[in-house]
Amino acid sequence: METTSRVAGESAHGAPEGTQSTPEGVPAARRTLDGYLRAPFPWYGLDDAFTGARWLMQVAQAADGTVQHGSIGHGDEPSIRPEAAAGAAGDRERFAVVVTIAANPVRHSGDGGVLEATSVSSAAWLAGSGLLSFTWPAQMDHVRRGEWLDQQTETAWELADDLEGPDWSTLSLPVDGEPTDFHYRESEFGWILAGSAQNGVHLGAYGRGLSAYGLAFSVVKDIRAYE
């Protein structure tokens, strides 16, 4: 079993502890793009075979401002809504999100702390918690959803920490044109997968409505095109 800790001190809700707040007075789109541009690693998305919409999501930074990971969306931008209320609109949401996380050993941060190592399990955790963030069981109100989300998030972490367990299968998909094995899992909420690329990063992905079996990943040539 591959054992690791949550990404760089993340809380049980997936938000990195000590993450710097967003500066006031700076347009949100510009703040987002700047975060991607500051990353010391390449970003991944779906390859050119995907011709749908592409959009930036968010990046996570350590307390010293170092970019740790981030996500890029493809297809329909998902909304958080009860399935019963969404109706046919929910059925039209077809999306895939690619998570890129720097592959790092245990290391010291600029503010004197220690950043935990990242691994494929880290990518699986980010993908699992990301999918949950766009899931809202129809029978639950706002209060109950918070309790449900806490429980499901912890379950997602336990599954990510046991990638060799029976809940996962292996799926081979192209990464920069090379067949790459991913840990893959489907659930009632959608699918998630996690693996590693050759450029010093781990990859996670999650989606719904788009089949994972026909996807391929490649380095984003110009992140500005997603703005």
Side-chain angles (χ1 to χ4, degrees), residues 36-119:
Y36 286 91
L37 292 173
R38 287 198 304 270
F41 52 84
W43 295 104
Y44 273 80
L46 299 185
D47 71 357
D48 291 340
F50 178 80
T51 58
R54 300 170 183 251
W55 28 277
L56 299 180
M57 297 182 70
Q58 61 183 8
V59 300
Q61 303 176 38
D64 64 356
T66 302
V67 176
Q68 299 175 307
H69 58 82
S71 303
I72 295 175
H74 306 74
D76 304 322
E77 294 195 37
S79 58
I80 304 175
R81 69 181 91 180
E83 294 170 0
D91 295 336
R92 290 197 299 268
E93 289 186 348
R94 302 172 65 251
F95 68 91
V97 173
V98 180
V99 182
T100 308
I101 176 173
N104 288 316
V106 175
R107 63 215 188 275
H108 293 282
S109 64
D111 61 352
V114 176
L115 301 178
E116 297 168 350
T118 59
S119 68

Side-chain angles (χ1 to χ4, degrees), residues 11 18 60 71-72 84 103 107 121 129 136 154 164 200-201 208 220 226:
S11 69
S71 303
I72 295 175
R107 63 215 188 275
S121 286
S129 59
W136 191 344
E154 190 62 33
E164 303 304 326
V201 298
R208 190 163 55 229
V220 175
Y226 284 68

Side-chain angles (χ1 to χ4, degrees), residues 122-148:
S122 305
W125 152 246
L126 290 170
S129 59
L131 180 61
L132 286 172
S133 69
F134 295 114
T135 301
W136 191 344
Q139 71 275 17
M140 293 185 181
D141 58 22
H142 289 270
V143 175
R144 291 187 61 199
R145 180 180 184 270
E147 298 173 351
W148 173 88

